[in-house]
């Protein structure tokens, strides 16, 4: 009785079909995953093109290194979030409160633009910050982030707003004006320097 044809190791059709099916399975699996782990000299072109990250070194050392670097990146991003929330609170509360309660503009629009440019310089150094890698997996703790960033922002507001109150008092006191003359433009310059220098120091604190 005739037996169905079964391709052996030497059957070119079976080898071609098996290779094609394996490549399809590899490519499909890589579309789901975030990283493709390549053994030294063992990955196909389909796997390379579908992978977001290919770890070429043999063994598990590359996986451990990738986990360590990713946790360091997470810590750097967290430092940036702390700084950005605190600094935004400082500037917004200062400008709004001074205009509403004292009808005084503490900084001009040009100063705000320059502050944004000056803040970018120390922010770029966060990417090279030497942070320790946490020993355990990390995740976003928004309660802790908002609490700490708001606390630092309130401290910055108290410092900046206190300086503004001293300056406004200086403007209204003839005795103090006789010691060191001060006008509104000079007070705006003082507030600008406070926000610029204080913002850079705030970045060091949250880091």
């Amino acid at each position: 009785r005739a037996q169905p044809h079964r391709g052996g190791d030497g059957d070119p059709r079976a080898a071609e079909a098996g290779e094609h099916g394996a490549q399809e399975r590899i490519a499909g699996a890589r579309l789901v995953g975030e990283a493709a782990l390549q053994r030294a000299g063992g990955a196909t072109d389909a796997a390379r093109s579908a992978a977001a990250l290919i770890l070429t070194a043999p063994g598990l050392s590359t996986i451990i290194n990738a986990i360590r670097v990713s946790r360091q990146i997470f810590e750097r991003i967290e430092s940036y979030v702390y700084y950005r929330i605190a600094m935004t609170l400082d500037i917004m509360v200062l400008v709004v409160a001074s205009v509403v309660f004292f009808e005084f503009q503490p900084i001009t629009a040009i100063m705000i633009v320059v502050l944004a440019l000056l803040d970018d310089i120390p922010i770029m150094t966060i990417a090279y910050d030497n942070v320790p890698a946490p020993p355990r997996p990390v995740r976003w703790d928004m309660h802790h982030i908002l609490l700490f960033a708001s606390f630092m922002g309130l401290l910055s507001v108290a410092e900046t707003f206190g300086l503004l109150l001293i300056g406004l008092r200086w403007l209204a006191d003839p005795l103090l004006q006789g010691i060191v003359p001060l006008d509104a433009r000079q007070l705006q310059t003082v507030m600008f320097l406070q926000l610029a220098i204080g913002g850079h120091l705030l970045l060091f604190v949250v880091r």
Side-chain angles (χ1 to χ4, degrees), residues 60-154:
L60 299 178
S61 60
T62 52
I63 301 177
I64 297 174
N65 183 63
I67 294 174
R68 179 182 60 82
V69 172
S70 64
R71 292 180 181 179
Q72 288 178 327
I73 293 174
F74 182 89
E75 293 295 320
R76 293 170 183 142
I77 295 176
E78 198 173 45
S79 299
Y80 170 77
V81 172
Y82 288 146
Y83 167 76
R84 179 49 59 200
I85 294 176
M87 193 63 188
T88 302
L89 284 175
D90 190 9
I91 297 177
M92 288 183 60
V93 173
L94 171 69
V95 173
V96 173
S98 60
V99 171
V100 171
F101 295 108
F102 302 105
E103 298 182 355
F104 177 76
Q105 184 178 1
I107 52 178
T108 63
I110 299 298
M111 290 179 179
I112 295 178
V113 174
V114 175
L115 275 176
L117 295 176
L118 292 178
D119 287 344
D120 289 340
I121 298 175
I123 285 175
M124 288 187 294
T125 63
I126 296 180
Y128 304 96
D129 196 6
N130 186 19
V131 296
R136 295 179 178 274
V138 291
R139 63 182 62 187
W140 289 107
D141 186 356
M142 296 308 300
H143 177 74
H144 176 267
I145 290 175
L146 292 177
L147 184 63
F148 178 76
S150 300
F151 176 72
M152 297 303 300
L154 291 177

